[in-house]
Amino acid sequence: MKVINFLILIFCLSHWSSAFAFKESSVTIHVDDATSPEKKWRDLSKNEEERVRFLVETLLTSKTGKMLLGKARDRSASQGKTLFDVIAPGEISITDTTLIRRFSPDRPEATAYELQSKIYINRDLKVRDALLDLAHELVHFIYKTPFNPYKDEFQVKEFIVSTLEGRGGEIDAFMAECLVERELFPSRNRENSNCHLVVDEEGRTSREKAISEFYRVGPYLKMLSGDLARYRLRPENFAAMTDEHANFISSAYAVPYPLAALKEFETIMGKVCENDYKRLAYMRESIGSPIGRTLASVLHSEDSDSASTGMAGLEKIEGKGARGQEFAQMARSYQKRCEFFPHQ
């Protein structure tokens, strides 16, 4: 619930039917009983798919939920899957997006990418909470703009802002969750619901109020300040950030959302830079080294003298034809993107 978990995988190549076409034998569960305050959705049926189907069928009775499920059906079909292939019980509620990058050691500069997403709903939740979490995660699944940290200009501030305020981000997802709560359970507010915090004086869900709430980090401000300093940033770089009490906590990281987004960025880039370093090592071996310096010394020189030597080594490799030029281009991209995540 709800930072998107973005996994980065790397491989060496050398070595629908309608989502709403239910089975005739699907379980029938009385909605009133199933959505009672204490009922957990894992107890709806012994069959995992039947439990997921019940959540989907119930969410369809909400106007917002029906719209989200229709778009999610199309999104899952674009992955060659049905809606029920991409929703499953899990340890926490999260949208898990995996970017798979494939390359051959013989041609590490030639890569292919594949993006796959899946929704997990916390199996220990009560039915009402599971329904609202499903609506929340569907927004991430449908609208979150895919990014490629191997190619894009992937900066800390932009990532945090996008995770919270971007299309399909945490604020969009929470506002959709609140709409579904109002439509499915108009006479009873969910216990511990924060939806009232983002309602304006006219009773409408306010994006402005949501932004203000999501940037409240409470006592975590000192920790966040230290973490941001590593990237030459300060909390003041985020206009809405305050040390007021944080009402919104990421279940994925158990910290306020700005800090959770920063941790997510570091997880992604740590893996990306590790993979890029391996890729550069493959390529350097394939074209040979014109000097006796290690790859690490070429990429990570720090003082002025060694930096000059390292740059000279990179220029010598660049002079070894098309492959050398490709290596130099990749190496400079690595140096720029992985400044804070060097691998030896």
Side-chain angles (χ1 to χ4, degrees):
M1 254 179 90
K2 294 166 190 143
V3 163
I4 298 176
N5 187 33
F6 200 108
L7 299 180
I8 310 294
L9 301 181
I10 187 167
F11 291 89
C12 268
L13 293 185
S14 61
H15 299 220
W16 56 318
S17 61
S18 171
F20 306 132
F22 303 117
K23 296 179 180 178
E24 293 182 2
S25 59
S26 62
V27 67
T28 300
I29 304 169
H30 195 273
V31 174
D32 290 339
D33 291 338
T35 57
S36 63
E38 301 304 318
K39 187 77 172 184
K40 293 189 176 181
W41 80 287
R42 69 182 181 193
D43 297 329
L44 294 175
S45 169
K46 293 182 179 180
N47 183 282
E48 181 178 294
E49 184 174 316
E50 288 176 349
R51 297 196 298 269
V52 172
R53 285 175 181 275
F54 173 79
L55 292 185
V56 170
E57 287 176 333
T58 306
L59 194 56
L60 279 169
T61 64
S62 156
K63 178 181 178 181
T64 301
K66 184 176 182 179
M67 180 273 293
L68 291 173
L69 286 166
K71 291 183 179 296
R73 175 194 57 197
D74 296 339
R75 173 80 172 84
S76 58
S78 72
Q79 296 183 183
K81 298 179 179 179
T82 70
L83 191 58
F84 298 104
D85 292 327
V86 298
I87 303 174
E91 297 299 318
I92 58 174
S93 295
I94 196 167
T95 300
D96 191 358
T97 300
T98 302
L99 178 68
I100 303 173
R101 183 180 69 160
R102 298 185 174 90
F103 72 87
S104 166
D106 295 331
R107 295 289 293 171
E109 73 283 2
T111 57
Y113 298 93
E114 180 182 350
L115 194 70
Q116 294 287 334
S117 297
K118 188 162 185 173
I119 294 170
Y120 293 96
I121 304 299
N122 187 337
R123 60 172 55 88
D124 293 323
L125 291 177
K126 297 170 185 177
V127 173
R128 288 173 183 252
D129 294 329
L131 286 164
L132 298 177
D133 273 19
L134 177 57
H136 184 116
E137 299 305 331
L138 285 170
V139 173
H140 292 324
F141 179 77
I142 298 163
Y143 297 112
K144 186 66 177 177
T145 303
F147 59 86
N148 186 339
Y150 292 105
K151 289 185 175 181
D152 298 342
E153 187 79 13
F154 203 55
Q155 299 296 325
V156 181
K157 181 180 177 181
E158 288 73 15
F159 181 78
I160 294 174
V161 172
S162 175
T163 297
L164 272 66
E165 303 178 49
R167 180 173 170 81
E170 296 303 328
I171 290 171
D172 281 355
F174 181 72
M175 292 177 69
E177 177 184 336
C178 291
L179 286 174
V180 169
E181 180 183 59
R182 184 179 301 178
E183 292 164 2
L184 287 182
F185 314 115
S187 62
R188 180 188 296 181
N189 288 328
R190 183 170 56 141
E191 184 181 0
N192 299 322
S193 171
N194 282 330
C195 288
H196 69 281
L197 297 174
V198 300
V199 175
D200 62 20
E201 295 178 355
E202 298 180 3
R204 296 176 299 189
T205 304
S206 165
R207 183 176 179 83
E208 182 178 347
K209 293 195 72 171
I211 291 174
S212 176
E213 284 290 338
F214 270 81
Y215 279 101
R216 292 169 62 161
V217 298
Y220 288 92
L221 184 64
K222 183 176 181 180
M223 178 190 300
L224 186 57
S225 296
D227 291 341
L228 288 173
R230 296 201 299 268
Y231 305 98
R232 307 183 188 100
L233 291 171
R234 298 181 301 167
E236 290 78 9
N237 294 120
F238 303 86
M241 191 174 293
T242 71
D243 62 355
E244 294 184 61
H245 175 73
N247 294 301
F248 291 84
I249 303 295
S250 163
S251 62
Y253 290 96
V255 293
Y257 278 97
L259 183 54
L262 177 57
K263 290 180 179 293
E264 186 76 2
F265 174 84
E266 291 177 335
T267 298
I268 294 169
M269 290 308 297
K271 188 61 178 177
V272 164
C273 293
E274 178 184 349
N275 289 346
D276 268 351
Y277 191 83
K278 292 177 181 177
R279 186 179 173 208
L280 284 165
Y282 277 125
M283 193 170 188
R284 187 170 181 272
E285 290 176 5
S286 72
I287 62 178
S289 175
I291 56 176
R293 297 180 60 82
T294 66
L295 177 60
S297 65
V298 172
L299 295 175
H300 303 307
S301 298
E302 295 179 355
D303 61 82
S304 58
D305 291 337
S306 62
S308 298
T309 304
M311 183 58 67
L314 189 57
E315 290 174 351
K316 286 184 179 181
I317 296 176
E318 187 174 19
K320 298 193 70 173
R323 296 298 300 282
Q325 293 172 9
E326 290 168 349
F327 174 88
Q329 183 178 2
M330 288 168 51
R332 291 189 178 104
S333 174
Y334 171 90
Q335 289 170 330
K336 182 178 181 180
R337 292 181 298 110
C338 298
E339 176 185 0
F340 304 105
F341 303 93
H343 285 78
Q344 303 297 331

